Amino acid sequence: MTVHKGGCFCGAVEIEVHGTAEAMGYCHCSSCRSWSASPVNAFTLWKPGNVKVTKGAEFLSGFEKSAMSNRQFCTKCGGHLMTDHPPLGLVDVYAATIPTVEFTPAVHVNYAETVLPMKDGLPKLKDFPAELGGSGIAVPE
């Protein structure tokens, strides 16, 4: 099984992801934009059992804005690491957190909220895929 390692900005918290991501893409929602301090968030989604904190668990804290998202960060440097999505049974490990994973995005979600239009030929969904509780409605680039 493939293992990729990464961590927070200061290195106090280290994580591993095992296997292959369930999905990769970009989120354009206002919450992800605000949390990441960027116009778009690059995500990689993993089954919770495939994400392990291997160092510095005592420095890991979270912020739960809603039941959908528990955003996790390092208390030493403030570096953002991942977001647990319990209702989806998935963990979003931010693409920049695990630099050895080849980021191959397949979709844009919450594109109706975009502030950075991206013309890359990938599907653009108004919100989430229907199988994850969204409308599944595609919007134009």
Side-chain angles (χ1 to χ4, degrees), residues 25-126:
Y26 300 104
C27 184
H28 295 262
C29 80
S30 61
S31 289
C32 281
R33 291 195 325 265
S34 180
W35 181 255
S36 67
S38 67
V40 65
N41 180 55
F43 66 80
T44 66
L45 296 175
W46 305 81
K47 291 182 180 173
N50 291 344
V51 179
K52 309 269 189 249
V53 175
T54 58
K55 176 185 161 193
E58 68 273 21
F59 300 115
L60 194 62
S61 189
F63 176 73
E64 188 174 343
K65 183 177 179 181
S66 72
M68 176 65 91
S69 299
N70 182 6
R71 298 169 192 276
Q72 298 177 26
F73 61 93
C74 172
T75 59
K76 284 186 79 172
C77 68
H80 299 180
L81 294 156
M82 57 191 151
T83 298
D84 185 20
H85 297 292
L88 305 179
L90 295 167
V91 176
D92 169 6
V93 180
Y94 310 131
T97 301
I98 41 177
T100 61
V101 170
E102 183 179 339
F103 184 64
T104 51
V107 67
H108 291 261
V109 297
N110 297 303
Y111 201 71
E113 298 181 45
T114 196
V115 297
L116 179 67
M118 299 172 73
K119 295 189 183 286
D120 57 10
L122 295 176
K124 313 291 191 285
L125 299 181
K126 174 184 173 189

